[in-house]
Amino acid sequence: LISTNIIKFLLLSEDMKNVMYSRFIFIVSLILVCASASAQELSSRSLLFRGRVASSYPYIKYTGIYYAYSPEYKEGIVKYNHKLYKGVYLNYNAHKDEMCVDNGQGMQKIALNKKFFEYCVFDNMKFVYLSGIEKMDDRYYQVLFECEDAVLYKKIYKHYEARDVNKEFLERVSYYLYKDGEYTQIRNAHHLLKIYPEHKKMRYKEQGSVDGDLVVILDKIYNGEGGR
């Protein structure tokens, strides 16, 4: 069969040979380009998993969780070393202040390098890393509200305390408002409204949580939403 095809090829005119040869070169080039792009993507993506192994607690008994909200890793995006990665599984260890990634292949989780981290979004939550700000710790912060004129950050810290033979992870949170080039710690909704004296008598829909109340107030101030 191969010999027959070779004979047929040799009997073709020079023009037809050139056409077939051009098609062959095009197909081979296309395959090589696709393979190269795929290899580059894999190589670039592997940078996410070259960091330090994320903290774990296999030898202590504890209750509660050291992650911010859930032990489950969620699919999201991360801007890392000037490149946006999609389809990455992320979670935030609020005890060790580690933004962790999971490659989904049963290997150890990796803590991202804070020097290269820009932001990430997963499970409808956005996190950034802030450093060098007076009266604020260098660590990851959740972005609760964001607009051109103001940003509300939430610091989540999980610490553990001894409870008999077990240790319990407990949560501490604090809030910071960035406005007019300054960061101000916010205690609660009443304190937030003091920063906006023109809105100090605002009525808003209470959300049953400090997070929710702060966000709905800022939504109403900047977007005209959340009032009643």
Side-chain angles (χ1 to χ4, degrees), residues 8-39:
K8 289 181 179 179
F9 178 76
L10 294 174
L11 292 176
L12 291 174
S13 66
E14 289 300 320
D15 289 341
M16 287 299 296
K17 289 179 181 178
N18 290 335
V19 169
M20 293 183 66
Y21 181 74
S22 298
R23 289 178 178 176
F24 173 77
I25 294 299
F26 173 76
I27 293 173
V28 171
S29 299
L30 184 61
I31 292 173
L32 292 175
V33 168
C34 292
S36 176
S38 178

Side-chain angles (χ1 to χ4, degrees), residues 88-142:
V88 181
Y89 285 84
L90 299 134
N91 208 343
Y92 174 50
N93 181 333
H95 174 239
K96 292 291 188 179
D97 191 41
E98 296 175 343
M99 189 60 66
C100 308
V101 292
D102 182 3
N103 69 358
Q105 298 178 3
M107 298 177 66
Q108 290 178 310
K109 279 72 172 177
I110 298 297
L112 295 176
N113 191 325
K114 297 172 181 177
K115 293 190 300 183
F116 302 126
F117 182 89
E118 297 179 47
Y119 70 85
C120 72
V121 179
F122 64 95
D123 203 22
N124 297 315
M125 299 181 295
K126 180 178 180 179
F127 285 86
V128 297
Y129 184 79
L130 301 180
S131 62
I133 301 172
E134 188 177 359
K135 298 180 181 179
M136 290 178 66
D137 295 332
D138 295 352
R139 64 183 295 119
Y140 292 101
Y141 290 81
Q142 182 184 353

Side-chain angles (χ1 to χ4, degrees), residues 21 34 41 62 73 81 90 101 136 145 154 174 204 216:
Y21 181 74
C34 292
E41 175 63 22
Y62 61 86
Y73 280 67
N81 198 21
L90 299 134
V101 292
M136 290 178 66
F145 175 87
K154 179 181 180 181
S174 51
Y204 61 92
V216 80

Side-chain angles (χ1 to χ4, degrees), residues 130-197:
L130 301 180
S131 62
I133 301 172
E134 188 177 359
K135 298 180 181 179
M136 290 178 66
D137 295 332
D138 295 352
R139 64 183 295 119
Y140 292 101
Y141 290 81
Q142 182 184 353
V143 179
L144 294 180
F145 175 87
E146 186 175 23
C147 72
E148 184 176 349
D149 298 310
V151 184
L152 179 65
Y153 299 100
K154 179 181 180 181
K155 169 187 168 183
I156 309 170
Y157 172 59
K158 295 288 186 77
H159 68 286
Y160 60 80
E161 296 182 357
R163 293 287 189 270
D164 298 324
V165 296
N166 292 328
K167 293 184 180 294
E168 180 180 4
F169 281 99
L170 302 175
E171 182 181 77
R172 293 176 183 168
V173 301
S174 51
Y175 305 89
Y176 298 87
L177 178 70
Y178 177 74
K179 174 179 175 291
D180 298 330
E182 296 183 355
Y183 292 85
T184 304
Q185 186 170 356
I186 305 298
R187 295 188 299 273
N188 49 40
H190 179 69
H191 184 209
L192 176 62
L193 287 172
K194 283 186 175 182
I195 297 176
Y196 297 90

